[in-house]
Amino acid sequence: MSTKFIKTGALPRVHQAGAGEAADVLNQAICGAKNVRATLRWLRGGDRLLTEQKARTHQLVYVMEGSGVISLDGKDYPVGKGAGVYCGPGESAGVRPDGGEIKLFHLVVPEVADAT
């Protein structure tokens, strides 16, 4: 695989009811990545991102712009630009804006068995 420049601003945004807008920035179709998916997400108002509880998946949610609240195990944490949360296999988190807009980077990586 070769290095590829991805024009993230030119990628189409898809509206997801209650979950804001999303644009895939890393997947097999864009750059050949078979075992990883990355999405930019824009949340406003009552929008919310809920990470999926997958048994063999690691996830990272990183706040790129704005501020909001990350919910973990029933507790809320105020967050701003530069904050993030890691969810290991079987774990989940919720993210919502705190009034304005929040832009997130969401990375999903499945566990891959070692080839030993």
Side-chain angles (χ1 to χ4, degrees):
M1 184 181 329
S2 63
T3 302
K4 180 171 181 152
F5 178 75
I6 301 168
K7 295 181 182 180
T8 58
L11 295 170
R13 291 187 190 188
V14 176
H15 178 75
Q16 299 175 328
E21 293 180 308
D24 279 352
V25 294
L26 181 65
N27 62 28
Q28 188 167 2
I30 294 171
C31 61
K34 295 179 183 178
N35 291 319
V36 64
R37 181 177 181 189
T39 308
L40 293 178
R41 296 184 177 270
W42 294 265
L43 306 177
R44 295 174 199 84
D47 293 337
R48 184 177 178 96
L49 167 67
L50 297 173
T51 63
E52 295 183 52
Q53 265 186 316
K54 293 188 175 180
R56 298 181 50 82
T57 301
H58 299 267
Q59 299 182 66
L60 173 73
V61 179
Y62 176 79
V63 180
M64 296 178 66
E65 297 174 4
S67 59
V69 177
I70 291 180
S71 300
L72 299 169
D73 299 323
K75 184 167 177 165
D76 290 344
Y77 300 90
V79 294
K81 181 179 179 178
V85 64
Y86 163 78
C87 296
E91 298 175 336
S92 66
V95 183
R96 67 183 187 275
D98 65 359
E101 180 178 82
I102 188 170
K103 181 179 179 181
L104 307 170
F105 175 78
H106 183 202
L107 179 67
V108 180
V109 181
E111 285 186 337
V112 179
D114 288 337
T116 55

